[in-house]
Amino acid sequence: MPVKGEVPWACAPHTGAKHDIYQRYLERWFPILLAGSNAYPSVTYAEGFSGPGVYKGGEPGSPVIAMKALVTKVPKTKGIARFAFIDDDERCVDMLGTTLTKTFPERPRTDAAMPVKIVKGTCATHLEATLDEMRAWGQPIFANLDSWGNAPVPYRLLRRLAGNISSEVIVTLFPQHFVRFVSDLGEAGDAVFGGDPTWRTVADLAPEAKSRHILTCYRQALRAAGFPYLLDFELIPRKGQPLYLIFGTGHRLGVQKMKDSLWEVDRAQGVGFRDPRDEQAETLFDIDEPQLGPLTRLLTQRLRNSGPVRVEDLRQFALLETVYRPEHVIRALKPLVDRNALSVEGGGALRRTSIVSLVPASAV
Ligand SMILES: C[S@@+](CC[C@H](N)C(=O)[O-])C[C@H]1O[C@@H](n2cnc3c(N)ncnc32)[C@H](O)[C@@H]1O
């Protein structure tokens, strides 16, 4: 892997799962924004850490995945799709140019309908300027900020994206980097968290609480940057370190579509995901029979902090505050009903309209 490593590099298992999520999401994003009933005249897909567009085994990189999502899902006459790719490694920049030409020997759209810029520079110094140059602002932008999980993503850029119309961001973070280098990372470390030094208290925490603290701080930073809806989760390979992805959007529909993409991911490579809020850090590997234990725990926690609540509100909680889907909620509440830990107002079966509360003795 660069800085000194070879280009291209081998595709790690969690990279495959991450790419699957990007692909499934972008195959929804481009058509909704360019060809849906409220389509925009133009959109921009931007990467601050684009890589070379290809892996050692020939697997496509994220820039290729994004372009294919556009080309396969949106008629070429619909709107303008800009692509901005930044990488600070010259070898990646050169290889990305070659890879795109090889993958699309015939330009899938005209220059005017698909302007592409590949720029050598850091995300911090070149992404915003490239978006300015391409006149991307004022129309939706999807920013993929997929560093090795350690490079600073300028907070100012996140704020500007959050304030831009229908714009979204997905950031890769490697919490161990911040855990390990807490004493070496000066102001640049705080800048990643929007200038808030709270993340530094990680140094005083028990080992098992450290990663979770970093993730909580980053989630708070992204919310403070102006993204009202977040979906964050960890991708867990069977071997190796977990990778944290956090998606920020201004629209509930964005969360719903990203969550659909997450649950549809092909888990054949043995990569699972995990809700960073689950105290027991249980990994969900099985897609056909989702393990609902973490959701039952999260719902119990939610019920403990509130009075009686409608199941529909718990469904919204699941959508917006966990990795689970709303349709998982009733099944996750069942074990609580079965052990008489949950009371259903008026009795009867659990429905979306039911009002439920924890039975006091079990609210511990
Ligand atoms: C994880 S790889 C990107 C992979 C790519 N998104 C994909 O999925 O195919 C990270 C890339 O960021 C580049 N990079 C590292 N630090 C950077 C920085 N500060 N600014 C821009 N690019 C950087 C590396 O050269 C590398 O190509």
Side-chain angles (χ1 to χ4, degrees), residues 2 9 15 18-19 22 47-55 60-63 86-89 92 121-124 144 146-148 151-152:
W9 53 91
T15 305
K18 184 175 72 178
H19 284 168
Y22 294 161
E47 293 212 31
F49 308 86
S50 65
V54 67
Y55 285 78
S62 50
I86 314 295
D87 200 290
D88 73 347
D89 187 322
C92 292
T122 67
C123 173
N144 182 350
D146 178 34
S147 69
W148 302 119

Side-chain angles (χ1 to χ4, degrees), residues 76-96:
K76 42 172 114 173
T77 51
K78 294 269 184 193
I80 296 171
R82 301 177 200 85
F83 289 88
F85 298 119
I86 314 295
D87 200 290
D88 73 347
D89 187 322
E90 186 121 37
R91 297 168 300 166
C92 292
V93 169
D94 291 345
M95 194 172 289
L96 178 56

Side-chain angles (χ1 to χ4, degrees), residues 22-28 30-31 64-74 104:
Y22 294 161
Q23 181 190 332
R24 288 170 197 274
Y25 186 73
L26 292 170
E27 286 182 352
R28 293 169 158 113
F30 279 116
V64 169
I65 289 167
M67 269 191 193
K68 281 193 174 158
L70 168 77
V71 171
T72 55
K73 296 292 173 185
V74 182
F104 304 100

